[in-house]
Amino acid sequence: MSDSSGIPERALTPGEFDEPRAEVGVETRQLTLATLQKNAILNGLEPSEAEDILRRGKLVDLKTRSVIYQADEVMREAFFPVDAVLSVVTQMKNGASIEVGTIGREGVSAIPLLLGATTSANESYCQVPGCAVVISADHFRTLSHNHRFRRLIDRFLQAYVNMLGHLAACNGLHSIYERTARWLLMTRDRVDSDEIALTHEFLSMMLGTRRSGVTIAAATLQQAGFIRYSHGHIVIVDHNGLELAACECYEVAREQFAGLLRPVDA
């Protein structure tokens, strides 16, 4: 399949995206209840569970490319994004890579732990910088036995699987122009800001296409007055216009996201 510029789309290969991974974020400031409430899962916790996380968890600053977990390595922590966005990426044997999922303030990084695994065939790192609440894998497993917490987690997991299906369809059916608009809107909803720290190189990896295709798509969106881009910094200036440019998958993703932010009855 080709994008609107006629450039064939494909996953990046070794050397095309070689920005080094950053170290895992460091603890930044005191974890508060107000911070917990910014993550949809943690916001639904019972008071005793929230108090437990306040006592045993930590708040970390994540930079772009901060490692969340590596492929085939034991997961020792669970990350609940507050205003960061995490990417789940699959690596091919030849080094080519493509994003297969994203996680924002609606969820948690520990999907393999939910399914009883300790490792993953994929890797995950920070896509958009921000903060995350971090607890140990053991603490996460203990919480997963709580009925209310499990309902919150199961709701997120169902929405995540649904979005994976739409992402696969989107990558196969829609142009790079539409997908770039969709990705920017989804990221904006997750960080709750019109300003996104993002380079063309990183966005091309997320969309599994050439940097040149992303550059053309971003330039077209900028010329239309929907975004402003400069030095790894994107600002959405016309949200409605960007929605019109995006494919139908954004509407589906937005509905899934909104459902995750609704309260869960005890």
Side-chain angles (χ1 to χ4, degrees):
M1 180 179 174
S2 299
D3 59 35
S4 56
S5 66
I7 300 173
E9 295 182 30
R10 57 172 175 75
L12 296 185
T13 54
E16 289 186 286
F17 186 85
D18 52 8
E19 180 181 337
R21 291 179 174 82
E23 295 297 322
V24 175
V26 297
E27 191 165 357
T28 55
R29 51 190 178 273
Q30 183 177 3
L31 184 56
T32 66
L33 182 60
T35 302
L36 292 188
Q37 292 171 340
K38 292 180 181 179
N39 177 278
I41 294 174
L42 299 182
N43 185 45
L45 294 177
E46 296 173 347
S48 60
E49 295 170 335
E51 187 64 34
D52 195 30
I53 288 181
L54 289 175
R55 186 176 68 256
R56 300 170 58 187
K58 59 185 177 180
L59 182 65
V60 300
D61 244 341
L62 297 175
K63 299 178 181 179
T64 302
R65 299 284 284 175
S66 290
V67 176
I68 306 304
Y69 57 79
Q70 298 274 28
D72 301 320
E73 292 188 4
V74 175
M75 294 182 190
R76 304 192 182 280
E77 295 177 312
F79 291 72
F80 296 82
V82 174
D83 55 4
V85 179
L86 312 182
S87 180
V88 181
V89 173
T90 290
Q91 293 273 2
M92 300 292 103
K93 288 184 178 180
N94 68 350
S97 59
I98 188 169
E99 180 182 79
V100 295
T102 56
I103 301 164
R105 60 192 176 96
E106 77 285 353
V108 63
S109 66
I111 293 174
L113 298 180
L114 293 175
L115 303 176
T118 58
T119 64
S120 172
N122 300 321
E123 59 185 36
S124 178
Y125 43 79
C126 181
Q127 178 186 97
V128 177
C131 293
V133 176
V134 182
I135 64 174
S136 71
D138 287 341
H139 188 185
F140 181 85
R141 292 188 188 95
T142 299
L143 282 173
S144 68
H145 295 302
N146 178 280
H147 176 68
R148 183 180 180 85
F149 183 78
R150 189 71 206 195
R151 286 191 61 193
L152 289 161
I153 290 292
D154 286 347
R155 184 175 68 169
F156 160 66
L157 185 58
Q158 181 180 7
Y160 182 81
V161 171
N162 289 342
M163 285 189 279
L164 287 183
H166 283 287
L167 178 63
C170 184
N171 287 341
L173 297 174
H174 298 141
S175 72
I176 186 61
Y177 173 79
E178 294 174 303
R179 289 160 51 206
T180 299
R182 182 263 302 165
W183 194 95
L184 292 173
L185 287 167
M186 288 179 62
T187 302
R188 185 256 171 263
D189 290 346
R190 280 167 159 157
V191 301
D192 198 24
S193 173
D194 289 325
E195 299 186 18
I196 304 169
L198 190 71
T199 64
H200 281 185
E201 290 90 347
F202 203 66
L203 182 56
S204 65
M205 184 178 183
M206 296 305 96
L207 295 173
T209 189
R210 294 173 185 258
R211 178 187 172 185
S212 55
V214 169
T215 298
I216 292 171
T220 303
L221 293 172
Q222 182 164 250
Q223 289 168 5
F226 301 154
I227 66 171
R228 188 169 62 249
Y229 175 81
S230 176
H231 305 297
H233 191 75
I234 295 177
V235 180
I236 297 175
V237 295
D238 184 350
H239 193 279
N240 291 334
L242 197 59
E243 280 197 44
L244 291 175
C247 56
E248 64 193 67
C249 298
Y250 171 62
E251 181 87 22
V252 174
R254 183 169 59 180
E255 290 177 0
Q256 292 282 349
F257 182 78
L260 292 172
L261 297 182
R262 287 195 289 268
V264 170
D265 295 332

